[in-house]
């Protein structure tokens, strides 16, 4: 028995040694695994859930009693109910200081921004009273400060002016403004409710940088009317028309007293902003500088009676809080369609700005911001605003930055700001009677200068030249044509980039890194060597109807070019084409058809097609279409190294 046992052990050792020898000489080839079949409905449901409900918004409601679900539902709609229980005096102190600080900044800005939208000054103040209160209850950002902003005010004013002249028919213009605000809110809330927030991401960062920069210059140029004291000024916003209007009235239209007031206070505002940037602890200097400027300039005009010397002043701001305006919104007729069109555009731009600001400060404080909830909150805020005499409001970057630096803790800072605006509307509006228009122009110019981001434009140039074209296209479109044209160019170029990337995906020839089984792009790794008789191509995109023919033709061109080089060098021809499919996340019927055509073209050239590492979705469709049977399952392998060993065993052994 012992002798038999020793013989068995000896045979096992010989067998093991033999198998090891076989593995060394003939490495094990890994085939691509076919995933288990899944229920088609469940798979479709999973895809839809991942597309529209990736954050699983109902996860908090699972396994909860009905009473708890009701509370959680209320907290989802009104996030204030979630954190108000833990609110304390320490947080209130931070919010109080922040609220008072942004109120001092927003009041003079609101009066100026209302003029930018061709509305009476009180409508700017109305828009910083009701909307911030609504957002405080429904918004999820702790830092965003709500109110009118320069870019949206200009966009709204320009688009409304194209439909109705504000000076000839002020009542109809105001009604259209409220209608546009209503539909801006409906658009925002709908996008959030249907979880379609990803649509705003189609406006690329580069396009936004260019659009904002162009809008800032346009806004600043528009302020030359008040800054120089010009009475007759062009309604157009392009730089040529504005400069023609400015210099055309140089001899008789400029008012030197107005220029002195505007220039001196603009210098003061820019100096205050410089101090705030230089020393972060002195942020409050730049925040209260606009209010100080308004107070001092108003006092100066009142004492000297400068209005009698041609200095234009505000003259009148209606006293009292927001009157209802639901009866002024158009719900029928041509103006309904006009308001809808303007509202959708203004709402999308406002949404883009607010979400970008919210995400920026959320990342700085390390908390999560629910983009879809934000959209619903902003939408409801603007719908309520439209029925309470407000125009389109959103998150303001300058105010939000001040809010953040002032130490805000929660959305209560917006409530504090609203209360201050309420007190201003009730008691202080008569004090603004002698406020010169030049000071409002100076405040707006100093505020929008920060929207011109030279550093971002330079970085875009360094990173992606096509992005830079999008940036400059949006910029010059706004400056030389109009805000709408610039926006259209920005969106068009962003879409064009997506289409180019989808229809013209990258492909690369791979070679083996010396002394490894790793295959990489030979242009990125010049030391990588090609395998004799084998061409390895990688496709860096999903294969869809939009790019399938291009990919097939590009692979055949790679093959033709390679064969010509080999023929010129008297080297062996290509026998195998390996397509590395790791980056191919999906394939459709057009893609399968393109692979079939590629296979037939290769057969005519006596070249065998081999696929390496197709993903789960791709291998499923290759089997469902019978393409796997067409080329043979032994031609679909796990790695490029496995495919090379199969095609050229001698090359696979030379590591």
């Amino acid at each position: 028995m012992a002798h038999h046992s020793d013989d068995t052990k000896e045979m096992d050792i010989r067998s093991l040694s033999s198998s090891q020898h076989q593995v060394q000489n003939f490495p094990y080839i890994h085939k691509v695994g076919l995933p288990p079949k899944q229920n088609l409905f469940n798979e479709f449901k999973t895809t839809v859930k991942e597309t529209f409900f990736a954050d699983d918004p109902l996860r908090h409601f699972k396994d909860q009693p009905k009473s708890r679900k009701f509370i959680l539902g209320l907290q989802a709609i009104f996030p204030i109910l979630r954190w108000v229980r833990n609110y304390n005096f320490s947080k209130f102190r931070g919010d109080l200081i922040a609220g008072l600080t942004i109120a001092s900044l927003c009041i003079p800005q609101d009066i100026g921004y209302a003029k930018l939208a061709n509305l009476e000054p009180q409508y700017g103040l109305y828009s910083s009273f009701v909307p911030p209160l609504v957002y405080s209850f429904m918004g999820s950002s702790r830092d965003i400060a709500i109110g009118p902003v320069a870019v949206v005010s200009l966009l709204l004013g320009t688009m409304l002016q194209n439909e109705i002249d504000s000076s000839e028919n002020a009542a109809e213009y105001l009604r259209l403004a409220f209608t546009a605000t209503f539909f801006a809110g409906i658009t925002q809330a709908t996008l959030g409710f249907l979880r379609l927030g990803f649509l705003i991401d189609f406006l690329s960062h580069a396009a936004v940088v260019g659009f904002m920069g162009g809008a800032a210059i346009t806004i600043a140029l528009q302020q030359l009317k008040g800054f120089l004291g010009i009475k007759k000024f062009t309604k157009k916003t392009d730089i040529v028309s504005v400069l023609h209007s400015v210099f055309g009235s140089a001899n008789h239209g400029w008012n030197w007293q107005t220029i002195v007031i505007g220039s001196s206070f603009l210098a003061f505002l820019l100096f205050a902003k410089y101090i705030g940037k230089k020393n972060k602890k002195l942020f409050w200097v730049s925040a209260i500088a606009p209010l100080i400027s308004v107070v001092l300039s108003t006092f100066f005009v009142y004492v000297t009676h400068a209005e009698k010397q041609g200095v234009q002043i505000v003259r009148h701001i209606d006293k009292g809080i927001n009157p209802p305006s639901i009866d002024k919104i158009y719900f029928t007729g041509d103006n309904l369609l006009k308001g809808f069109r303007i509202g959708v555009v203004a709402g999308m731009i406002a949404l883009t700005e607010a979400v970008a600001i919210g995400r920026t400060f959320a990342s700085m404080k390390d908390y999560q911001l629910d983009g879809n909830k934000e959209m619903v909150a902003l939408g409801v805020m603007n719908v309520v605003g439209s029925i309470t005499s407000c125009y389109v409001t959103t998150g303001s970057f300058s105010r939000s930055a001040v809010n953040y630096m002032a130490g805000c803790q929660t959305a209560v800072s917006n409530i504090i700001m609203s209360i201050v605006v309420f007190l201003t509307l009730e008691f202080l509006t008569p004090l603004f009677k002698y406020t010169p228009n030049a000071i409002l122009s100076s405040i707006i110019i100093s505020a929008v200068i920060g929207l011109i981001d030279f550093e971002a434009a330079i970085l875009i140039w360094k990173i992606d030249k096509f992005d830079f074209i999008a940036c400059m296209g949006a910029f010059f479109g706004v400056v030389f044509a109009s805000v709408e044209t610039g926006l259209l160019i920005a969106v068009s170029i962003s879409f064009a980039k997506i289409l180019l990337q989808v229809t013209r995906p990258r492909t690369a020839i791979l070679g083996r890194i010396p002394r490894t089984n790793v295959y990489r792009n030979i242009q990125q790794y010049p030391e990588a060597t090609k395998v004799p008789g084998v061409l390895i191509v990688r496709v860096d995109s999903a294969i869809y109807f939009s790019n399938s023919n291009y990919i097939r033709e590009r692979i055949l061109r790679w093959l033709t070019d390679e064969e010509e080089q080999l023929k010129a060098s008297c080297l062996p021809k290509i026998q195998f084409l390996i397509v590395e499919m790791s980056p191919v996340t999906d394939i459709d019927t057009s893609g399968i058809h393109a692979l079939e055509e590629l296979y037939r073209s290769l057969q005519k050239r006596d070249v065998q097609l081999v696929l390496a590492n197709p993903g789960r979705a791709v291998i499923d469709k290759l089997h469902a279409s019978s393409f796997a049977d067409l080329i043979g399952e032994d031609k679909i392998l796990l790695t490029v190294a496995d495919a090379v060993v199969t095609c050229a065993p001698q090359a696979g052994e030379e590591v």
Side-chain angles (χ1 to χ4, degrees):
M1 288 289 289
H3 179 70
H4 179 71
S5 177
D6 289 342
D7 287 346
T8 305
K9 284 181 181 177
E10 191 176 341
M11 286 174 66
D12 289 343
I13 291 168
R14 284 176 185 170
S15 175
L16 180 62
S17 176
S18 174
S19 66
Q20 285 175 341
H21 180 72
Q22 280 184 335
V23 168
Q24 287 170 357
N25 288 285
F26 303 100
Y28 179 74
I29 305 301
H30 302 85
K31 291 188 178 180
V32 175
L34 187 63
K37 289 286 182 185
Q38 289 194 353
N39 183 288
L40 288 176
F41 176 74
N42 289 338
E43 194 167 354
F44 175 74
K45 190 169 74 172
T46 302
T47 304
V48 171
K49 183 181 176 183
E50 191 60 32
T51 303
F52 296 101
F53 305 97
D55 56 343
D56 194 8
L58 300 177
R59 64 187 182 280
H60 301 299
F61 295 87
K62 291 174 183 175
D63 304 321
Q64 296 287 347
K66 284 187 178 180
S67 57
R68 180 63 182 159
K69 284 181 180 178
F70 177 73
I71 294 170
L72 289 172
L74 284 176
Q75 289 178 348
I77 299 169
F78 303 105
I80 192 172
L81 298 175
R82 191 179 304 128
W83 52 261
V84 74
R85 290 174 299 172
N86 300 319
Y87 199 68
N88 52 43
F89 181 75
S90 174
K91 289 181 179 178
F92 176 72
R93 186 172 57 187
D95 287 334
L96 178 65
I97 295 168
L100 293 172
T101 308
I102 56 175
S104 68
L105 176 64
C106 87
I107 291 168
Q109 278 187 350
D110 290 344
I111 297 170
Y113 291 160
K115 285 184 173 291
L116 205 57
N118 303 313
L119 295 168
E120 293 297 318
Q122 64 268 18
Y123 292 105
L125 294 172
Y126 292 162
S127 301
S128 276
F129 172 45
V130 172
L133 286 176
V134 176
Y135 182 84
S136 299
F137 284 86
M138 297 190 69
S140 55
S141 173
R142 305 173 197 166
D143 305 281
I144 201 167
I146 297 296
V149 296
V151 174
V152 176
S153 299
L154 174 71
L155 178 67
L156 191 68
T158 305
M159 295 183 76
L160 291 171
Q161 190 70 30
N162 289 340
E163 302 296 339
I164 298 173
D165 193 316
S166 59
S167 55
E168 292 180 5
N169 201 337
E172 293 295 303
Y173 182 92
L174 185 63
R175 291 190 66 184
L176 192 60
F178 293 149
T179 306
T181 303
F182 176 80
F183 284 110
I186 293 293
T187 301
Q188 293 168 337
T190 303
L191 287 174
F193 186 74
L194 298 179
R195 309 185 71 77
L196 298 174
F198 60 84
L199 292 176
I200 64 171
D201 293 331
F202 279 101
L203 198 60
S204 69
H205 171 69
V208 170
V209 168
F211 175 75
M212 289 293 189
I217 289 176
T218 302
I219 291 165
L221 289 171
Q222 289 283 302
Q223 300 316 302
L224 292 176
K225 178 187 178 183
F227 193 82
L228 302 173
I230 301 170
K231 291 181 180 178
K232 291 184 178 179
F233 201 74
T234 180
K235 299 285 185 184
K236 297 178 181 178
T237 60
D238 64 283
I239 189 170
V240 176
S241 300
V242 171
L243 291 179
H244 183 267
S245 185
V246 168
F247 291 109
S249 58
N251 294 329
H252 56 275
W254 294 13
N255 181 277
W256 71 266
Q257 294 97 330
T258 302
I259 295 171
V260 169
I261 293 170
S263 302
S264 55
F265 280 102
L266 179 59
F268 167 68
L269 289 165
L270 293 175
F271 180 67
K273 185 170 275 193
Y274 173 77
I275 291 172
K277 266 189 178 178
K278 203 75 175 170
N279 189 341
K280 297 296 183 186
K281 291 182 180 178
L282 296 176
F283 70 90
W284 54 270
V285 174
S286 60
I288 64 169
L291 190 60
I292 292 172
S293 300
V294 167
V295 172
L296 291 177
S297 61
T298 304
F299 178 73
F300 172 77
V301 170
Y302 176 74
V303 170
T304 61
H305 295 288
E307 78 278 5
K308 294 179 180 178
Q309 304 299 318
V311 174
Q312 296 175 30
I313 57 176
V314 171
R315 294 198 181 277
H316 177 73
I317 300 177
D318 283 354
K319 194 176 178 183
I321 59 170
N322 310 32
S325 57
I326 189 168
D327 57 318
K328 294 181 180 178
I329 297 172
Y330 289 112
F331 289 109
T332 56
D334 291 341
N335 284 333
L336 167 66
L337 295 175
K338 291 176 184 176
F340 175 77
R341 180 175 55 82
I342 296 168
V344 169
V345 175
M348 292 289 277
I349 293 298
L351 204 55
T352 303
E353 190 168 350
V355 171
I357 292 166
R359 285 174 179 168
T360 300
F361 289 105
S363 65
M364 289 167 72
K365 282 193 176 179
D366 193 27
Y367 66 89
Q368 292 297 314
L369 190 74
D370 189 323
N372 290 298
K373 281 184 184 176
E374 281 295 285
M375 291 172 199
V376 172
L378 292 163
V380 173
M381 172 186 85
N382 277 311
V383 169
V384 174
S386 69
I387 63 177
T388 53
S389 299
C390 304
Y391 74 95
V392 182
T393 53
T394 187
S396 163
F397 190 82
S398 58
R399 290 182 218 174
S400 299
V402 168
N403 197 31
Y404 172 80
M405 289 187 286
C408 73
Q409 299 295 314
T410 66
V412 170
S413 60
N414 274 299
I415 297 174
I416 302 295
M417 180 188 72
S418 295
I419 292 170
V420 175
V421 172
F422 162 75
L423 294 173
T424 302
L425 283 165
E426 282 289 350
F427 305 109
L428 303 178
T429 50
L431 299 178
F432 291 101
K433 179 181 178 180
Y434 290 96
T435 300
N437 288 340
I439 203 66
L440 300 176
S441 297
S442 300
I443 289 167
I444 292 172
I445 290 170
S446 67
V448 299
I449 283 173
L451 295 176
I452 306 171
D453 198 340
F454 293 106
E455 291 179 2
I458 293 167
L459 187 63
I460 289 166
W461 167 258
K462 289 178 180 177
I463 294 171
D464 192 316
K465 301 300 184 286
F466 199 97
D467 265 357
F468 186 76
I469 292 171
C471 180
M472 289 297 101
F475 176 81
F476 288 119
V478 173
V479 171
F480 286 100
S482 66
V483 181
E484 306 101 291
T485 303
L487 184 60
L488 183 63
I489 291 171
V491 173
S492 300
I493 294 178
S494 296
F495 268 104
K497 183 183 179 184
I498 294 169
L499 288 174
L500 273 177
Q501 289 176 336
V502 170
T503 58
R504 295 293 182 268
R506 297 179 190 274
T507 55
I509 291 182
L510 307 186
R512 188 170 66 184
I513 303 296
R515 297 179 296 280
T516 71
N517 269 334
V518 176
Y519 291 81
R520 292 292 181 265
N521 187 342
I522 59 173
Q523 290 184 338
Q524 185 179 358
Y525 298 91
E527 71 274 16
T529 57
K530 297 177 183 176
V531 178
V534 179
L535 178 65
I536 308 167
V537 179
R538 187 182 67 213
V539 179
D540 292 335
S541 163
I543 305 176
Y544 291 133
F545 66 93
S546 56
N547 62 20
S548 56
N549 284 328
Y550 169 79
I551 290 171
R552 177 181 57 80
E553 290 168 5
R554 190 70 188 90
I555 291 173
L556 289 173
R557 267 190 289 139
W558 281 126
L559 183 62
T560 303
D561 293 345
E562 194 70 15
E563 285 179 335
E564 287 175 0
Q565 290 178 18
L566 293 173
K567 193 174 181 180
S569 306
C570 298
L571 293 171
K573 69 183 289 291
I574 299 295
Q575 294 177 299
F576 296 92
L577 173 71
I578 300 173
V579 181
E580 155 71 302
M581 300 189 74
S582 300
V584 181
T585 53
D586 202 358
I587 191 168
D588 65 3
T589 50
S590 298
I592 298 287
H593 183 65
L595 286 182
E596 289 171 351
E597 288 185 347
L598 175 65
Y599 173 75
R600 283 192 285 270
S601 298
L602 293 175
Q603 274 191 319
K604 292 174 184 176
R605 300 185 186 206
D606 291 326
V607 177
Q608 291 190 45
L609 176 63
V610 181
L611 305 182
N613 196 24
R616 176 185 172 276
V618 175
I619 194 68
D620 262 343
K621 293 177 182 180
L622 292 180
H623 278 275
S625 64
S626 300
F627 181 76
D629 298 329
L630 179 67
I631 67 167
E633 289 197 28
D634 59 330
K635 295 295 187 292
I636 304 176
L637 300 159
L638 186 60
T639 67
V640 174
D642 287 338
V644 170
V645 169
T646 304
C647 301
Q650 70 282 1
E653 292 173 8
E654 295 169 5
V655 180

